[in-house]
Amino acid sequence: MGAGAIGCLYADALDRGGLQTSLILRHATDQQSVALIVEREGAKEQRYLNIANHQDLEPILHLLVTTKAFDVYAAVSGIAHRLNENSVIVLLVNGMGLAEQLNATYPHLNLYCATTTHGAYRIAPQHICHAGLGETRIGRQGLEQPPDWYGLWDDAIENCHWDANINTALWFKLAVNCIVNPLTALHHCPNGELATDRSLSDKVAHLCDEVSHICRAAGHADIADLLPQSVARVIRQTATNRSSMLQDVEHGRPTEIDYINGFLLQVAEQHGIAAPLNNELIQRVKNHAV
Ligand code: KPL
């Protein structure tokens, strides 16, 4: 559910791995299948995937959610009648706080979280480019051994890892996104410019201090200690990327700022920490975006 670039990338890999996969599209359609095109390293592959019928009532056994963060709750609620305690739901979304939000309303749901460093962008609906190889981490905090279903994922998805400490992986991504995403969105620049433009690299450094302080208070001293180096590495490795928030702003779409810097700000407030830079970025991105 959520057939954007990342959703299509995983749907393609899972289907290719022998796990019959259907796309749940936002709007009902009469079409029963769709051609999914994935480009990588100059080659183009096409495969047909089923489209889930919006009238279907039978339970969904495995649901991968790859919508925008602000759509997750409504999208899952829209198919809640097809989910039961046997349904496995993997949330592969930006930002944090969504599993908790869903859990409060649907405590019976079997939720797992995932994070990815794969790079993909959409060329047209269901036509994507897999631009950068990355890894996938999936887990549920504290669950040391992967459940049986995970073996199928492990076979189908290259470079996939079970992570019993998934919260650390999610916090790491959150910390990086809190810095890279709003700055690139406000300055309309690819990620790499945050390192090459002096005034932007100063902003990165100041923001790193504020984000580290909050990470430490939240119990993630390991992330806090290495944040400047980690952010520098991600900026280097994704130098030509236009961040997801920049793409949202450029396309006039709402951004995920509430689930990224907004989540961090809530944590800061819980710990009585002032976060003026994050506060300002949230306001500026909101004024900038729709
Ligand atoms: O996750 C990203 C995003 O754009 O949302 C980064 C790591 C910043 C890569 O662009």
mmCIF file with all atom_site columns, all heavy atoms in Angstrom, residues 75-99:
data_model
loop_
_atom_site.group_PDB
_atom_site.id
_atom_site.type_symbol
_atom_site.label_atom_id
_atom_site.label_alt_id
_atom_site.label_comp_id
_atom_site.label_asym_id
_atom_site.label_entity_id
_atom_site.label_seq_id
_atom_site.pdbx_PDB_ins_code
_atom_site.Cartn_x
_atom_site.Cartn_y
_atom_site.Cartn_z
_atom_site.occupancy
_atom_site.B_iso_or_equiv
_atom_site.pdbx_formal_charge
_atom_site.auth_seq_id
_atom_site.auth_comp_id
_atom_site.auth_asym_id
_atom_site.auth_atom_id
_atom_site.pdbx_PDB_model_num
ATOM 1   N N   . ALA A 1 75 ? -4.862  5.489   5.635  1.00 0.00 ? 75 ALA A N   1
ATOM 2   C CA  . ALA A 1 75 ? -4.786  4.374   4.681  1.00 0.00 ? 75 ALA A CA  1
ATOM 3   C C   . ALA A 1 75 ? -5.005  3.039   5.390  1.00 0.00 ? 75 ALA A C   1
ATOM 4   O O   . ALA A 1 75 ? -5.762  2.186   4.908  1.00 0.00 ? 75 ALA A O   1
ATOM 5   C CB  . ALA A 1 75 ? -3.435  4.392   3.968  1.00 0.00 ? 75 ALA A CB  1
ATOM 6   N N   . VAL A 1 76 ? -4.363  2.853   6.542  1.00 0.00 ? 76 VAL A N   1
ATOM 7   C CA  . VAL A 1 76 ? -4.550  1.591   7.273  1.00 0.00 ? 76 VAL A CA  1
ATOM 8   C C   . VAL A 1 76 ? -5.989  1.509   7.789  1.00 0.00 ? 76 VAL A C   1
ATOM 9   O O   . VAL A 1 76 ? -6.636  0.457   7.703  1.00 0.00 ? 76 VAL A O   1
ATOM 10  C CB  . VAL A 1 76 ? -3.517  1.450   8.431  1.00 0.00 ? 76 VAL A CB  1
ATOM 11  C CG1 . VAL A 1 76 ? -3.833  0.236   9.295  1.00 0.00 ? 76 VAL A CG1 1
ATOM 12  C CG2 . VAL A 1 76 ? -2.104  1.339   7.858  1.00 0.00 ? 76 VAL A CG2 1
ATOM 13  N N   . SER A 1 77 ? -6.521  2.620   8.271  1.00 0.00 ? 77 SER A N   1
ATOM 14  C CA  . SER A 1 77 ? -7.914  2.614   8.760  1.00 0.00 ? 77 SER A CA  1
ATOM 15  C C   . SER A 1 77 ? -8.875  2.211   7.651  1.00 0.00 ? 77 SER A C   1
ATOM 16  O O   . SER A 1 77 ? -9.858  1.513   7.883  1.00 0.00 ? 77 SER A O   1
ATOM 17  C CB  . SER A 1 77 ? -8.319  3.992   9.292  1.00 0.00 ? 77 SER A CB  1
ATOM 18  O OG  . SER A 1 77 ? -7.493  4.326   10.374 1.00 0.00 ? 77 SER A OG  1
ATOM 19  N N   . GLY A 1 78 ? -8.559  2.643   6.423  1.00 0.00 ? 78 GLY A N   1
ATOM 20  C CA  . GLY A 1 78 ? -9.431  2.344   5.281  1.00 0.00 ? 78 GLY A CA  1
ATOM 21  C C   . GLY A 1 78 ? -9.523  0.858   4.969  1.00 0.00 ? 78 GLY A C   1
ATOM 22  O O   . GLY A 1 78 ? -10.472 0.426   4.309  1.00 0.00 ? 78 GLY A O   1
ATOM 23  N N   . ILE A 1 79 ? -8.536  0.081   5.387  1.00 0.00 ? 79 ILE A N   1
ATOM 24  C CA  . ILE A 1 79 ? -8.616  -1.369  5.122  1.00 0.00 ? 79 ILE A CA  1
ATOM 25  C C   . ILE A 1 79 ? -8.577  -2.161  6.428  1.00 0.00 ? 79 ILE A C   1
ATOM 26  O O   . ILE A 1 79 ? -8.308  -3.366  6.426  1.00 0.00 ? 79 ILE A O   1
ATOM 27  C CB  . ILE A 1 79 ? -7.479  -1.855  4.197  1.00 0.00 ? 79 ILE A CB  1
ATOM 28  C CG1 . ILE A 1 79 ? -6.130  -1.389  4.718  1.00 0.00 ? 79 ILE A CG1 1
ATOM 29  C CG2 . ILE A 1 79 ? -7.669  -1.419  2.756  1.00 0.00 ? 79 ILE A CG2 1
ATOM 30  C CD1 . ILE A 1 79 ? -5.019  -2.261  4.220  1.00 0.00 ? 79 ILE A CD1 1
ATOM 31  N N   . ALA A 1 80 ? -8.889  -1.480  7.537  1.00 0.00 ? 80 ALA A N   1
ATOM 32  C CA  . ALA A 1 80 ? -8.819  -2.144  8.851  1.00 0.00 ? 80 ALA A CA  1
ATOM 33  C C   . ALA A 1 80 ? -9.737  -3.365  8.912  1.00 0.00 ? 80 ALA A C   1
ATOM 34  O O   . ALA A 1 80 ? -9.439  -4.337  9.613  1.00 0.00 ? 80 ALA A O   1
ATOM 35  C CB  . ALA A 1 80 ? -9.163  -1.148  9.953  1.00 0.00 ? 80 ALA A CB  1
ATOM 36  N N   . HIS A 1 81 ? -10.853 -3.310  8.130  1.00 0.00 ? 81 HIS A N   1
ATOM 37  C CA  . HIS A 1 81 ? -11.783 -4.449  8.144  1.00 0.00 ? 81 HIS A CA  1
ATOM 38  C C   . HIS A 1 81 ? -11.158 -5.699  7.518  1.00 0.00 ? 81 HIS A C   1
ATOM 39  O O   . HIS A 1 81 ? -11.683 -6.793  7.674  1.00 0.00 ? 81 HIS A O   1
ATOM 40  C CB  . HIS A 1 81 ? -13.081 -4.076  7.399  1.00 0.00 ? 81 HIS A CB  1
ATOM 41  C CG  . HIS A 1 81 ? -12.841 -3.645  5.981  1.00 0.00 ? 81 HIS A CG  1
ATOM 42  N ND1 . HIS A 1 81 ? -12.268 -2.427  5.657  1.00 0.00 ? 81 HIS A ND1 1
ATOM 43  C CD2 . HIS A 1 81 ? -13.050 -4.283  4.800  1.00 0.00 ? 81 HIS A CD2 1
ATOM 44  C CE1 . HIS A 1 81 ? -12.154 -2.340  4.332  1.00 0.00 ? 81 HIS A CE1 1
ATOM 45  N NE2 . HIS A 1 81 ? -12.627 -3.452  3.802  1.00 0.00 ? 81 HIS A NE2 1
ATOM 46  N N   . ARG A 1 82 ? -10.027 -5.542  6.795  1.00 0.00 ? 82 ARG A N   1
ATOM 47  C CA  . ARG A 1 82 ? -9.364  -6.704  6.176  1.00 0.00 ? 82 ARG A CA  1
ATOM 48  C C   . ARG A 1 82 ? -8.134  -7.156  6.973  1.00 0.00 ? 82 ARG A C   1
ATOM 49  O O   . ARG A 1 82 ? -7.380  -8.016  6.531  1.00 0.00 ? 82 ARG A O   1
ATOM 50  C CB  . ARG A 1 82 ? -8.948  -6.363  4.734  1.00 0.00 ? 82 ARG A CB  1
ATOM 51  C CG  . ARG A 1 82 ? -10.132 -6.030  3.837  1.00 0.00 ? 82 ARG A CG  1
ATOM 52  C CD  . ARG A 1 82 ? -9.708  -5.885  2.399  1.00 0.00 ? 82 ARG A CD  1
ATOM 53  N NE  . ARG A 1 82 ? -9.089  -7.114  1.907  1.00 0.00 ? 82 ARG A NE  1
ATOM 54  C CZ  . ARG A 1 82 ? -8.422  -7.193  0.763  1.00 0.00 ? 82 ARG A CZ  1
ATOM 55  N NH1 . ARG A 1 82 ? -8.292  -6.123  0.004  1.00 0.00 ? 82 ARG A NH1 1
ATOM 56  N NH2 . ARG A 1 82 ? -7.884  -8.331  0.371  1.00 0.00 ? 82 ARG A NH2 1
ATOM 57  N N   . LEU A 1 83 ? -7.939  -6.522  8.129  1.00 0.00 ? 83 LEU A N   1
ATOM 58  C CA  . LEU A 1 83 ? -6.756  -6.858  8.931  1.00 0.00 ? 83 LEU A CA  1
ATOM 59  C C   . LEU A 1 83 ? -7.200  -7.509  10.231 1.00 0.00 ? 83 LEU A C   1
ATOM 60  O O   . LEU A 1 83 ? -8.157  -7.044  10.863 1.00 0.00 ? 83 LEU A O   1
ATOM 61  C CB  . LEU A 1 83 ? -5.959  -5.582  9.239  1.00 0.00 ? 83 LEU A CB  1
ATOM 62  C CG  . LEU A 1 83 ? -5.498  -4.802  8.006  1.00 0.00 ? 83 LEU A CG  1
ATOM 63  C CD1 . LEU A 1 83 ? -4.909  -3.458  8.417  1.00 0.00 ? 83 LEU A CD1 1
ATOM 64  C CD2 . LEU A 1 83 ? -4.465  -5.614  7.218  1.00 0.00 ? 83 LEU A CD2 1
ATOM 65  N N   . ASN A 1 84 ? -6.528  -8.579  10.620 1.00 0.00 ? 84 ASN A N   1
ATOM 66  C CA  . ASN A 1 84 ? -6.845  -9.194  11.914 1.00 0.00 ? 84 ASN A CA  1
ATOM 67  C C   . ASN A 1 84 ? -5.533  -9.522  12.629 1.00 0.00 ? 84 ASN A C   1
ATOM 68  O O   . ASN A 1 84 ? -4.459  -9.140  12.157 1.00 0.00 ? 84 ASN A O   1
ATOM 69  C CB  . ASN A 1 84 ? -7.724  -10.437 11.718 1.00 0.00 ? 84 ASN A CB  1
ATOM 70  C CG  . ASN A 1 84 ? -7.044  -11.471 10.835 1.00 0.00 ? 84 ASN A CG  1
ATOM 71  O OD1 . ASN A 1 84 ? -5.834  -11.661 10.912 1.00 0.00 ? 84 ASN A OD1 1
ATOM 72  N ND2 . ASN A 1 84 ? -7.829  -12.129 9.983  1.00 0.00 ? 84 ASN A ND2 1
ATOM 73  N N   . GLU A 1 85 ? -5.615  -10.238 13.743 1.00 0.00 ? 85 GLU A N   1
ATOM 74  C CA  . GLU A 1 85 ? -4.411  -10.458 14.551 1.00 0.00 ? 85 GLU A CA  1
ATOM 75  C C   . GLU A 1 85 ? -3.387  -11.349 13.838 1.00 0.00 ? 85 GLU A C   1
ATOM 76  O O   . GLU A 1 85 ? -2.237  -11.438 14.258 1.00 0.00 ? 85 GLU A O   1
ATOM 77  C CB  . GLU A 1 85 ? -4.750  -10.987 15.954 1.00 0.00 ? 85 GLU A CB  1
ATOM 78  C CG  . GLU A 1 85 ? -5.511  -12.286 16.053 1.00 0.00 ? 85 GLU A CG  1
ATOM 79  C CD  . GLU A 1 85 ? -6.980  -12.170 15.658 1.00 0.00 ? 85 GLU A CD  1
ATOM 80  O OE1 . GLU A 1 85 ? -7.476  -11.044 15.461 1.00 0.00 ? 85 GLU A OE1 1
ATOM 81  O OE2 . GLU A 1 85 ? -7.623  -13.222 15.509 1.00 0.00 ? 85 GLU A OE2 1
ATOM 82  N N   . ASN A 1 86 ? -3.814  -11.991 12.734 1.00 0.00 ? 86 ASN A N   1
ATOM 83  C CA  . ASN A 1 86 ? -2.855  -12.796 11.962 1.00 0.00 ? 86 ASN A CA  1
ATOM 84  C C   . ASN A 1 86 ? -2.192  -11.996 10.840 1.00 0.00 ? 86 ASN A C   1
ATOM 85  O O   . ASN A 1 86 ? -1.291  -12.493 10.172 1.00 0.00 ? 86 ASN A O   1
ATOM 86  C CB  . ASN A 1 86 ? -3.548  -14.012 11.333 1.00 0.00 ? 86 ASN A CB  1
ATOM 87  C CG  . ASN A 1 86 ? -4.085  -14.930 12.391 1.00 0.00 ? 86 ASN A CG  1
ATOM 88  O OD1 . ASN A 1 86 ? -3.409  -15.172 13.386 1.00 0.00 ? 86 ASN A OD1 1
ATOM 89  N ND2 . ASN A 1 86 ? -5.313  -15.403 12.211 1.00 0.00 ? 86 ASN A ND2 1
ATOM 90  N N   . SER A 1 87 ? -2.680  -10.791 10.607 1.00 0.00 ? 87 SER A N   1
ATOM 91  C CA  . SER A 1 87 ? -2.101  -9.982  9.534  1.00 0.00 ? 87 SER A CA  1
ATOM 92  C C   . SER A 1 87 ? -0.768  -9.399  10.011 1.00 0.00 ? 87 SER A C   1
ATOM 93  O O   . SER A 1 87 ? -0.685  -8.857  11.104 1.00 0.00 ? 87 SER A O   1
ATOM 94  C CB  . SER A 1 87 ? -3.017  -8.802  9.169  1.00 0.00 ? 87 SER A CB  1
ATOM 95  O OG  . SER A 1 87 ? -4.345  -9.217  9.000  1.00 0.00 ? 87 SER A OG  1
ATOM 96  N N   . VAL A 1 88 ? 0.229   -9.534  9.154  1.00 0.00 ? 88 VAL A N   1
ATOM 97  C CA  . VAL A 1 88 ? 1.537   -8.950  9.459  1.00 0.00 ? 88 VAL A CA  1
ATOM 98  C C   . VAL A 1 88 ? 1.611   -7.613  8.729  1.00 0.00 ? 88 VAL A C   1
ATOM 99  O O   . VAL A 1 88 ? 1.385   -7.547  7.519  1.00 0.00 ? 88 VAL A O   1
ATOM 100 C CB  . VAL A 1 88 ? 2.661   -9.879  8.947  1.00 0.00 ? 88 VAL A CB  1
ATOM 101 C CG1 . VAL A 1 88 ? 3.998   -9.164  8.952  1.00 0.00 ? 88 VAL A CG1 1
ATOM 102 C CG2 . VAL A 1 88 ? 2.714   -11.152 9.787  1.00 0.00 ? 88 VAL A CG2 1
ATOM 103 N N   . ILE A 1 89 ? 1.904   -6.559  9.461  1.00 0.00 ? 89 ILE A N   1
ATOM 104 C CA  . ILE A 1 89 ? 1.973   -5.232  8.833  1.00 0.00 ? 89 ILE A CA  1
ATOM 105 C C   . ILE A 1 89 ? 3.374   -4.663  9.021  1.00 0.00 ? 89 ILE A C   1
ATOM 106 O O   . ILE A 1 89 ? 3.850   -4.542  10.152 1.00 0.00 ? 89 ILE A O   1
ATOM 107 C CB  . ILE A 1 89 ? 0.929   -4.296  9.467  1.00 0.00 ? 89 ILE A CB  1
ATOM 108 C CG1 . ILE A 1 89 ? -0.446  -4.909  9.244  1.00 0.00 ? 89 ILE A CG1 1
ATOM 109 C CG2 . ILE A 1 89 ? 1.001   -2.888  8.876  1.00 0.00 ? 89 ILE A CG2 1
ATOM 110 C CD1 . ILE A 1 89 ? -1.492  -4.315  10.091 1.00 0.00 ? 89 ILE A CD1 1
ATOM 111 N N   . VAL A 1 90 ? 4.023   -4.366  7.913  1.00 0.00 ? 90 VAL A N   1
ATOM 112 C CA  . VAL A 1 90 ? 5.366   -3.789  7.976  1.00 0.00 ? 90 VAL A CA  1
ATOM 113 C C   . VAL A 1 90 ? 5.249   -2.318  7.570  1.00 0.00 ? 90 VAL A C   1
ATOM 114 O O   . VAL A 1 90 ? 4.786   -2.003  6.467  1.00 0.00 ? 90 VAL A O   1
ATOM 115 C CB  . VAL A 1 90 ? 6.341   -4.537  7.037  1.00 0.00 ? 90 VAL A CB  1
ATOM 116 C CG1 . VAL A 1 90 ? 7.708   -3.864  7.060  1.00 0.00 ? 90 VAL A CG1 1
ATOM 117 C CG2 . VAL A 1 90 ? 6.461   -6.008  7.432  1.00 0.00 ? 90 VAL A CG2 1
ATOM 118 N N   . LEU A 1 91 ? 5.662   -1.435  8.473  1.00 0.00 ? 91 LEU A N   1
ATOM 119 C CA  . LEU A 1 91 ? 5.634   0.011   8.176  1.00 0.00 ? 91 LEU A CA  1
ATOM 120 C C   . LEU A 1 91 ? 7.009   0.430   7.687  1.00 0.00 ? 91 LEU A C   1
ATOM 121 O O   . LEU A 1 91 ? 7.976   0.413   8.448  1.00 0.00 ? 91 LEU A O   1
ATOM 122 C CB  . LEU A 1 91 ? 5.317   0.809   9.443  1.00 0.00 ? 91 LEU A CB  1
ATOM 123 C CG  . LEU A 1 91 ? 3.939   0.643   10.084 1.00 0.00 ? 91 LEU A CG  1
ATOM 124 C CD1 . LEU A 1 91 ? 3.849   1.508   11.335 1.00 0.00 ? 91 LEU A CD1 1
ATOM 125 C CD2 . LEU A 1 91 ? 2.840   1.008   9.098  1.00 0.00 ? 91 LEU A CD2 1
ATOM 126 N N   . LEU A 1 92 ? 7.086   0.765   6.419  1.00 0.00 ? 92 LEU A N   1
ATOM 127 C CA  . LEU A 1 92 ? 8.350   1.238   5.836  1.00 0.00 ? 92 LEU A CA  1
ATOM 128 C C   . LEU A 1 92 ? 8.103   2.680   5.412  1.00 0.00 ? 92 LEU A C   1
ATOM 129 O O   . LEU A 1 92 ? 7.809   2.979   4.253  1.00 0.00 ? 92 LEU A O   1
ATOM 130 C CB  . LEU A 1 92 ? 8.724   0.338   4.642  1.00 0.00 ? 92 LEU A CB  1
ATOM 131 C CG  . LEU A 1 92 ? 9.935   0.697   3.798  1.00 0.00 ? 92 LEU A CG  1
ATOM 132 C CD1 . LEU A 1 92 ? 11.190  0.838   4.640  1.00 0.00 ? 92 LEU A CD1 1
ATOM 133 C CD2 . LEU A 1 92 ? 10.178  -0.352  2.739  1.00 0.00 ? 92 LEU A CD2 1
ATOM 134 N N   . VAL A 1 93 ? 8.146   3.554   6.398  1.00 0.00 ? 93 VAL A N   1
ATOM 135 C CA  . VAL A 1 93 ? 7.762   4.948   6.143  1.00 0.00 ? 93 VAL A CA  1
ATOM 136 C C   . VAL A 1 93 ? 8.767   5.878   6.807  1.00 0.00 ? 93 VAL A C   1
ATOM 137 O O   . VAL A 1 93 ? 9.470   5.491   7.738  1.00 0.00 ? 93 VAL A O   1
ATOM 138 C CB  . VAL A 1 93 ? 6.330   5.253   6.682  1.00 0.00 ? 93 VAL A CB  1
ATOM 139 C CG1 . VAL A 1 93 ? 5.294   4.522   5.871  1.00 0.00 ? 93 VAL A CG1 1
ATOM 140 C CG2 . VAL A 1 93 ? 6.183   4.912   8.146  1.00 0.00 ? 93 VAL A CG2 1
ATOM 141 N N   . ASN A 1 94 ? 8.823   7.101   6.340  1.00 0.00 ? 94 ASN A N   1
ATOM 142 C CA  . ASN A 1 94 ? 9.693   8.101   6.953  1.00 0.00 ? 94 ASN A CA  1
ATOM 143 C C   . ASN A 1 94 ? 9.095   8.572   8.266  1.00 0.00 ? 94 ASN A C   1
ATOM 144 O O   . ASN A 1 94 ? 7.883   8.534   8.455  1.00 0.00 ? 94 ASN A O   1
ATOM 145 C CB  . ASN A 1 94 ? 9.820   9.313   6.032  1.00 0.00 ? 94 ASN A CB  1
ATOM 146 C CG  . ASN A 1 94 ? 10.942  9.144   5.035  1.00 0.00 ? 94 ASN A CG  1
ATOM 147 O OD1 . ASN A 1 94 ? 11.826  8.313   5.224  1.00 0.00 ? 94 ASN A OD1 1
ATOM 148 N ND2 . ASN A 1 94 ? 10.897  9.930   3.971  1.00 0.00 ? 94 ASN A ND2 1
ATOM 149 N N   . GLY A 1 95 ? 9.947   9.068   9.135  1.00 0.00 ? 95 GLY A N   1
ATOM 150 C CA  . GLY A 1 95 ? 9.459   9.671   10.365 1.00 0.00 ? 95 GLY A CA  1
ATOM 151 C C   . GLY A 1 95 ? 9.163   8.631   11.428 1.00 0.00 ? 95 GLY A C   1
ATOM 152 O O   . GLY A 1 95 ? 9.364   7.432   11.211 1.00 0.00 ? 95 GLY A O   1
ATOM 153 N N   . MET A 1 96 ? 8.691   9.119   12.585 1.00 0.00 ? 96 MET A N   1
ATOM 154 C CA  . MET A 1 96 ? 8.423   8.197   13.696 1.00 0.00 ? 96 MET A CA  1
ATOM 155 C C   . MET A 1 96 ? 7.104   8.527   14.367 1.00 0.00 ? 96 MET A C   1
ATOM 156 O O   . MET A 1 96 ? 6.539   9.588   14.165 1.00 0.00 ? 96 MET A O   1
ATOM 157 C CB  . MET A 1 96 ? 9.572   8.264   14.704 1.00 0.00 ? 96 MET A CB  1
ATOM 158 C CG  . MET A 1 96 ? 10.796  7.541   14.182 1.00 0.00 ? 96 MET A CG  1
ATOM 159 S SD  . MET A 1 96 ? 12.094  7.441   15.401 1.00 0.00 ? 96 MET A SD  1
ATOM 160 C CE  . MET A 1 96 ? 11.465  6.152   16.472 1.00 0.00 ? 96 MET A CE  1
ATOM 161 N N   . GLY A 1 97 ? 6.636   7.580   15.178 1.00 0.00 ? 97 GLY A N   1
ATOM 162 C CA  . GLY A 1 97 ? 5.417   7.791   15.959 1.00 0.00 ? 97 GLY A CA  1
ATOM 163 C C   . GLY A 1 97 ? 4.205   7.119   15.337 1.00 0.00 ? 97 GLY A C   1
ATOM 164 O O   . GLY A 1 97 ? 3.134   7.092   15.947 1.00 0.00 ? 97 GLY A O   1
ATOM 165 N N   . LEU A 1 98 ? 4.372   6.554   14.121 1.00 0.00 ? 98 LEU A N   1
ATOM 166 C CA  . LEU A 1 98 ? 3.203   6.010   13.430 1.00 0.00 ? 98 LEU A CA  1
ATOM 167 C C   . LEU A 1 98 ? 2.763   4.668   13.998 1.00 0.00 ? 98 LEU A C   1
ATOM 168 O O   . LEU A 1 98 ? 1.560   4.405   14.116 1.00 0.00 ? 98 LEU A O   1
ATOM 169 C CB  . LEU A 1 98 ? 3.500   5.902   11.935 1.00 0.00 ? 98 LEU A CB  1
ATOM 170 C CG  . LEU A 1 98 ? 3.510   7.310   11.340 1.00 0.00 ? 98 LEU A CG  1
ATOM 171 C CD1 . LEU A 1 98 ? 4.414   7.408   10.150 1.00 0.00 ? 98 LEU A CD1 1
ATOM 172 C CD2 . LEU A 1 98 ? 2.093   7.741   11.000 1.00 0.00 ? 98 LEU A CD2 1
ATOM 173 N N   . ALA A 1 99 ? 3.726   3.819   14.366 1.00 0.00 ? 99 ALA A N   1
ATOM 174 C CA  . ALA A 1 99 ? 3.354   2.509   14.936 1.00 0.00 ? 99 ALA A CA  1
ATOM 175 C C   . ALA A 1 99 ? 2.567   2.738   16.225 1.00 0.00 ? 99 ALA A C   1
ATOM 176 O O   . ALA A 1 99 ? 1.544   2.084   16.471 1.00 0.00 ? 99 ALA A O   1
ATOM 177 C CB  . ALA A 1 99 ? 4.606   1.684   15.190 1.00 0.00 ? 99 ALA A CB  1
#
